[in-house]
Amino acid sequence: MLRVYNTLSEKKEDFIPLQEGKVGLYACGMTVYDKPHIGHARKEVAIDLIVSYLRYSGYQVTYVRNFTDVDDNIIRRANDRGVSCDELTAENIAAFYRAVDALGLTRPDVEPKATEHMAEIITIVEKLIEKGHAYAAADGSVYFAVESFTGYGKLSNRKLDELLAGTRFEPEAGKRNPLDFALWKSAKPGEPSWASPWGKGRPGWHIECSAMSSKYLGDSFDIHAGGRDLIFPHHENEIAQSEAASGKPFVKYWVHNGFLTVEGEKMSKSLGNFITVDDALDQYHPEVLRLFMLSTHYRTPIDFSYAGLADAERRVSYFYETMKLVAKIAGDAAPKKSERSEAFIAEFRESMEDDFNSPKVLAALIAFCKFLNEAAVSKKTRPAADEAAGYLAAIGEVGKVFGILQALPAERIAAIQDIQLKRAKLTRGEIDALIAERNAHRKEKNFAAADEVRGKLDALGILIKDTPDGTEWSFK
Ligand SMILES: [Zn+2]
């Protein structure tokens, strides 16, 4: 039985979807005023893992992820750069797709944009006014009246009076209560605006998710996902808007991924430690970044560092080296299940059923690879071809859910080496030449000269291994 941690109850719960066999999942997407950073990558990898495991488990999942393509940051950035909001958002949406495609993430089934759902947004705001949960101010802005919704604060565990005590300011002009939030903002000069019953304006941020989730998943759905930083006020406000409008419970399971820091510090442009996905992928293969993210449980804070990526790279290489070794034994035999491969799959499922525990799965995968490497050394323990093919199939099955280990081992090992060479400012030709030089000395039995060349390779961080197929090399 799958158990999922629900932020609403603050505990793991049995996962029972509203409709048997089907799951509706909405994830708050990116506000596209800038290129995606590694915090976005963390969140997308986490949600992809969840969607992918639900599908693996047989659920028919409808995955919706929006783009927030109108907001203060977008308007400010577009004005600063002297481009239109449309140009800016189109550019950043393209950058987002490049990043998630490089990481091999599955595209959602629906990807609604706020600017393309004005009619739905206006309809829900009208409904909230009609039901007495919202009011229009004199300037044409519309606010949600938090006091009108009794459950306000239930997700973030906050009480209205405590929240009020924490506000030091008088309500903004037009607001009845300082905690009331904008559903619709009246147009200001130089801003994009849309016609509405309250005059020209644009939606507040929170309302788009209520409008778009109900359009594609209904008033009540199974999972709402997003980063922890969205719990308050964004998700709290989504609950208030949606439940006040529909009179029905909004979401059954609230799933939030943990924060990301960079070497122990909050990532920010002012600290100079802002890392875009492009920056990380310039240094490491996307599969390495993906494995790095999966090495921490999705709810646990993750601390990003290039040293951490280097560790993940060693692990990805180890997995592919193991696959290469086992593939050699397997040849083209048909896979046969064995006790060991079945046990590995069972361990995978058990870990995933426990709130998608990916680090536990990776630990099991490392142990499985260790067993395979040890078994492959001696003729006595080496698996039969069909059994070896079965082991490879088991790695492939788990890897598919994780979005890793789907490439041909030799090709991926070479691709990772190419990136390592780039980082070390070396070429494959230089290394091949040194290896050829060493082997020539060895042939002449000039072992001192051969060792000297080996020392040169060692200083470059290159490890060499003599095999029956010739000398292989890898970075240390
Ligand atoms: Zn949202």
Side-chain angles (χ1 to χ4, degrees), residues 89 97 125 157 184 293 307 365 434 444:
T89 57
Y97 279 136
V125 175
N157 242 326
W184 188 261
M293 297 297 181
L365 179 59
L434 283 168
E444 294 156 6

Side-chain angles (χ1 to χ4, degrees), residues 67 69-70 86 112-118 121 194 203 208 212:
F67 282 115
D69 60 348
V70 55
D86 286 349
K113 294 184 183 119
T115 56
E116 291 169 3
H117 291 77
M118 287 303 155
I121 289 170
W194 288 262
E208 68 179 80
M212 298 190 288

